[in-house]
Amino acid sequence: MTFVTKLSFASGDRDVLAETVQELKTTLERKGAECKGPHATPAETVRVPLYKQLRAGDEFSPWSYSVYKRSMEIHGADDIAREVVGRDFPDSIHVEVEVDQKKPLGHRRD
């Protein structure tokens, strides 16, 4: 069975995100892993209300910021995927990992 490791990255710092994901892709290609991505999604603008007191009422202008997202998939290469997932990413990047198990076509379980 083949494993597909899906990596999702989110950050408010577009430059650090782009640099980190590109560096990761270069590393994966150098090690011979099959990699799809990075895929970018449109930036999401998050608006946070700011109140003048601890209760709702008088407000300041909301604080808004953009969140940038990228995703990648590593097919097979379980040892390389494990190494990638275990590395330290910059604090400004949120990383989510999902592992799917794929069965070969025509494979039967008895």
Side-chain angles (χ1 to χ4, degrees):
M1 286 194 218
T2 303
F3 290 93
V4 177
T5 305
K6 297 178 182 180
L7 302 166
S8 300
F9 304 91
S11 179
D13 189 336
R14 181 176 32 195
D15 294 335
V16 170
L17 179 63
E19 180 182 322
T20 300
V21 171
Q22 186 56 48
E23 179 183 305
L24 182 59
K25 180 162 178 79
T26 301
T27 300
L28 290 168
E29 289 173 343
R30 189 179 69 242
K31 292 187 177 210
E34 182 184 344
C35 175
K36 293 187 180 181
H39 305 289
T41 57
E44 177 185 336
T45 300
V46 178
R47 297 178 66 82
V48 181
L50 299 174
Y51 298 102
K52 292 183 178 182
Q53 297 183 5
L54 293 177
R55 58 182 169 17
D58 292 333
E59 295 183 24
F60 292 108
S61 297
W63 174 49
S64 64
Y65 61 97
S66 297
V67 177
Y68 305 94
K69 296 180 180 181
R70 303 287 186 275
S71 62
M72 299 176 73
E73 292 182 0
I74 304 169
H75 293 258
D78 303 339
D79 53 334
I80 297 171
R82 194 174 303 113
E83 178 184 321
V84 165
V85 170
R87 71 191 289 184
D88 288 329
F89 291 97
D91 290 339
S92 63
I93 298 178
H94 175 77
V95 181
E96 291 183 11
V97 179
E98 180 182 335
V99 179
D100 287 338
Q101 191 174 12
K102 302 290 181 184
K103 296 179 186 173
L105 291 175
H107 181 72
R108 266 184 19 173
R109 287 184 79 173
D110 294 326

